[in-house]
Amino acid sequence: MARAATTSDVFNAIAEPQRQEILVLLRAGERAVTELARELGMTQPRASKHLRVLREVGLVRDRKAGKQRLYGLDARGLRPVHEWTGGFERFWNESFDRLDAYVQDLKQARQEE
Amino acid sequence: MARAATTSDVFNAIAEPQRQEILVLLRAGERAVTELARELGMTQPRASKHLRVLREVGLVRDRKAGKQRLYGLDARGLRPVHEWTGGFERFWNESFDRLDAYVQDLKQARQEE
DNA sequence: CAATAATATGCCGATATCGGCATGTGTAAA
DNA sequence: TTTACACATGCCGATATCGGCATATTATTG
């Protein structure tokens, strides 16, 4: 077995930096593939492939417009990720405190040497 | 080139379901490797490897306790992910509206046939 | 020190990923 | 219909992943 399929898994889909860029770009509005590729400095096939993944997990939708195909954001799939990480909200402060206390202890110990 | 290294990348680290489980479990408190492996039904080497990844991206910290090694949560690294997805918060409602409008249009169109 | 327990690692196999390049498919205009 | 443009796909190579198994490594105990 290897890694879980990137398709049908939003977590994996957004783990790719270039796909993140695409999503961010699409916040500014729909884009045709070539346009998007140009703005992000990637080749057209590359853009198409990433868009395919994003489409398959439902993060983007496409519609035909003449000979172009416009891709638009459908961010609903990001909500579960937001909520999942949100489940750790109280921990990332707490962890901070603990680390802080730990650092204090270290200082203390060092002075007592 | 292949996929971005899972190490040193929180997005990739949490894209693995089993690692997600580990993080969730660790919210309940520190765990030794074997203990954790047992609770999640995975082999020890498997647990160790996932913990290594999580450690390398800074999502867990470990400390020695006798012949055991206790792993604890350090959720600070999840904050950027939470914030990044949060940047789409206003879109996942808006997208919904658009879809809704789209569906309405379809209904309308169908009735006019 | 020897024996044991708890972890970490190394190596392997199967598979999936991402990028490039060439080429298919589809649509529109001449 | 031919031409041209926009996009999708297929195949390949290089690499990374994850799991299993066996085996280090490290720490405790007798």
Side-chain angles (χ1 to χ4, degrees):
Chain A
M1 299 137 214
R3 155 170 262 155
T6 138
T7 188
S8 84
D9 179 345
V10 175
F11 278 88
N12 270 291
I14 66 170
E16 229 291 334
Q18 307 218 49
R19 287 196 287 263
Q20 291 178 19
E21 291 182 51
I22 291 177
L23 293 175
V24 169
L25 178 61
L26 290 183
R27 285 197 300 214
E30 288 181 327
R31 288 284 190 291
V33 178
T34 307
E35 205 176 345
L36 188 150
R38 187 175 41 73
E39 296 189 54
L40 295 180
M42 53 177 93
T43 63
Q44 175 267 309
R46 199 151 126 196
S48 280
K49 285 172 184 172
H50 283 310
L51 285 167
R52 180 171 166 54
V53 173
L54 292 172
R55 193 195 329 142
E56 288 180 345
V57 300
L59 287 174
V60 302
R61 277 177 293 149
D62 60 311
R63 66 186 182 82
K64 291 195 285 187
K67 64 173 105 173
Q68 295 192 317
R69 181 168 289 266
L70 298 181
Y71 279 87
L73 189 60
D74 184 348
R76 285 174 295 160
L78 292 178
R79 189 168 187 167
V81 179
H82 188 66
E83 283 169 357
W84 188 80
T85 52
F88 293 84
E89 191 157 8
R90 66 195 187 85
F91 289 96
W92 64 59
N93 301 309
E94 188 187 312
S95 309
F96 211 154
D97 296 345
R98 276 191 195 160
L99 182 64
D100 206 52
Y102 174 69
V103 172
Q104 295 302 327
D105 287 349
L106 275 186
K107 283 184 186 165
Q108 201 96 25
R110 204 166 294 172
Q111 289 188 338
E112 288 166 4
E113 276 173 15
Chain B
M1 298 137 216
R3 156 172 260 157
T6 139
T7 188
S8 83
D9 181 343
V10 174
F11 279 88
N12 270 291
I14 67 170
E16 228 292 334
Q18 308 219 48
R19 287 197 286 265
Q20 291 177 19
E21 291 183 49
I22 292 178
L23 292 176
V24 170
L25 178 61
L26 291 183
R27 285 197 300 214
E30 288 182 326
R31 286 286 189 293
V33 179
T34 307
E35 204 176 346
L36 187 150
R38 186 175 41 73
E39 296 189 55
L40 295 180
M42 52 177 94
T43 63
Q44 174 267 311
R46 199 151 126 195
S48 280
K49 284 172 184 172
H50 282 311
L51 285 167
R52 181 175 169 47
V53 172
L54 292 173
R55 193 195 328 139
E56 288 180 345
V57 300
L59 287 174
V60 302
R61 276 176 294 149
D62 61 310
R63 68 186 180 83
K64 291 194 288 188
K67 62 173 107 176
Q68 294 191 319
R69 182 168 289 266
L70 299 181
Y71 279 87
L73 189 60
D74 184 349
R76 285 175 293 161
L78 292 178
R79 188 168 187 167
V81 179
H82 188 66
E83 284 170 356
W84 189 79
T85 51
F88 293 85
E89 193 157 6
R90 68 194 187 83
F91 289 96
W92 64 58
N93 302 309
E94 188 187 312
S95 308
F96 210 154
D97 295 345
R98 276 192 196 160
L99 182 63
D100 206 53
Y102 175 67
V103 172
Q104 294 303 329
D105 285 349
L106 276 186
K107 282 183 187 166
Q108 200 96 25
R110 203 166 297 171
Q111 289 189 339
E112 288 167 4
E113 275 173 19

